[in-house]
Amino acid sequence: MKLRVDGLTVRFRIPGATVHAVTDASFELSEGRCLALVGESGCGKSVMAHALLGLLPANATVTGHAWLDPTATRTDSSGEALDLITAPEKTLARQVRGRRIGLIPQSPAAHLTPVRTARAHLAETLRELGRTETPDALAARAGLRPEDLDRYPHQLSGGMAQRVANALALAGDPPLIIADEPTTGLDRPLVDATMTELRRLRDEGRAVLLITHDLRAAEQVADEVAVMYAGRIVELAEAESFFTRPRHPYARGLLDALPTRAFKPVPGRPPELTRLPAGCAFQPRCPLATPLCDEQPKLNGVACHHV
């Protein structure tokens, strides 16, 4: 299983303006690997995930490609690699969501129907996917006890809700897992437990796309890191290299902001996605900025004129 994203661009039309949510994003993700997509809130990380699943609102315009299994080790019904961006809704609903891509959403409890138990959620998902596995067996794979399944969402702790979300994502045994901010609202022990679960999924041979602003969490599981700023990927590197030798000034700033490092925030604020500056969007906050930065740098591992 392989995912190759090529030139993915997402725009939202709003009254009087256009939101440049994602611009020319490209990366690859293979089985048994975890790519962490990191950056400040609002930089376009979750929009990219929703674009891959065809879950954007009607005012979105999406261009580019996202080839699922471009090596054709798995194919769609026509025998060809599937482009998630141009695939019709019927194909995404019947062949992709839950079956080839599982989504672990942000704030899992908020995505559960409040008047239905965890068991009812799992049973319905298994039935829709045509699986014969029982809810109890599926829950056990996610570390849940049978008695946990009879709880309603408001009765679930943060850790339990996260495990229910993991179980739902695994119901169709998908080869690719997208985890969208899975540590939001969790304390550090639960964050560590969630990352342990994602490592297990990766080690089983699944591809994992982790979307997070928590660099400490990403460091526990990522094989590669893609740094987003103002809708663009500005650095793409192996995790070990990124966490020891970040190259883009923004990436260095993110790491320096960690409490375990300099604990120094990146100065300034990100630009509005409706009014991006010309050239490098990080220029107004960058200590290395020169007139050369008025021209948009190309991404060659890092998008910066002053590497």
Side-chain angles (χ1 to χ4, degrees):
M1 212 300 298
K2 191 173 185 179
L3 172 69
R4 187 180 76 234
V5 174
D6 185 12
L8 179 62
T9 297
V10 181
R11 300 286 184 261
F12 292 106
R13 300 181 304 276
I14 61 175
T18 298
V19 180
H20 296 73
V22 178
T23 301
D24 199 24
S26 299
F27 61 86
E28 292 188 0
L29 175 59
S30 300
E31 62 275 5
R33 302 278 289 179
C34 174
L35 171 68
L37 192 60
V38 304
E40 293 168 290
S41 296
C43 69
K45 305 186 300 296
S46 294
V47 169
M48 188 182 300
H50 292 159
L52 296 176
L53 290 165
L55 297 176
L56 293 176
N59 67 331
T61 300
V62 186
T63 58
H65 302 281
W67 298 105
L68 193 59
D69 313 317
T71 58
T73 53
R74 294 187 182 208
T75 58
D76 64 6
S77 57
S78 66
E80 299 178 353
L82 179 65
D83 187 356
L84 299 173
I85 304 306
T86 60
E89 169 60 24
K90 182 177 179 180
T91 299
L92 294 174
R94 294 187 177 182
Q95 297 183 26
V96 176
R97 298 186 200 119
R99 292 174 172 83
R100 297 169 73 177
I101 302 179
L103 174 65
I104 300 176
Q106 182 177 353
S107 304
H111 286 76
L112 300 175
T113 304
V115 295
R116 306 187 68 193
T117 64
R119 185 186 304 278
H121 283 90
L122 296 182
E124 179 183 29
T125 300
L126 289 167
R127 183 170 59 254
E128 289 295 322
L129 294 173
R131 309 287 293 188
T132 59
E133 189 175 12
T134 65
D136 289 57
L138 177 60
R141 284 202 285 148
L144 286 164
R145 301 168 300 175
E147 55 267 31
D148 296 332
L149 299 186
D150 296 318
R151 297 172 184 258
Y152 290 90
H154 72 277
Q155 296 173 317
L156 298 173
S157 66
M160 284 185 182
Q162 186 64 60
R163 291 187 181 96
V164 171
N166 293 349
L168 291 169
L170 293 174
D173 197 25
L176 169 61
I177 297 292
I178 297 178
D180 185 9
E181 298 284 6
T183 62
T184 298
L186 302 183
D187 57 23
R188 186 49 54 179
L190 286 178
V191 169
D192 294 341
T194 300
M195 293 304 104
T196 297
E197 175 64 12
L198 291 180
R199 278 200 308 271
R200 182 183 69 81
L201 296 176
R202 179 202 63 188
D203 294 344
E204 287 179 350
R206 303 178 200 270
V208 177
L209 178 59
L210 170 62
I211 296 169
T212 184
H213 61 271
D214 188 339
L215 290 173
R216 289 179 58 192
E219 190 172 12
Q220 296 182 47
V221 66
D223 298 293
E224 298 170 276
V225 176
V227 182
M228 285 195 75
Y229 184 78
R232 288 184 181 270
I233 294 178
V234 297
E235 183 166 350
L236 185 60
E238 292 289 320
E240 182 178 1
S241 174
F242 170 77
F243 284 106
T244 56
R245 297 178 303 279
R247 302 174 68 196
H248 195 280
Y250 175 62
R252 291 197 295 270
L254 286 179
L255 289 170
D256 284 344
L258 293 175
T260 53
R261 302 202 182 193
F263 204 25
K264 179 182 178 181
V266 181
R269 299 178 61 183
E272 295 182 22
L273 295 180
T274 55
R275 295 188 299 175
L276 292 177
C280 175
F282 189 60
Q283 181 182 175
R285 306 172 72 185
C286 182
L288 303 180
T290 67
L292 184 63
C293 302
D294 291 337
E295 180 181 344
Q296 179 63 48
K298 295 182 179 180
L299 177 65
N300 184 18
V302 57
C304 180
H305 293 296
H306 305 292
V307 175

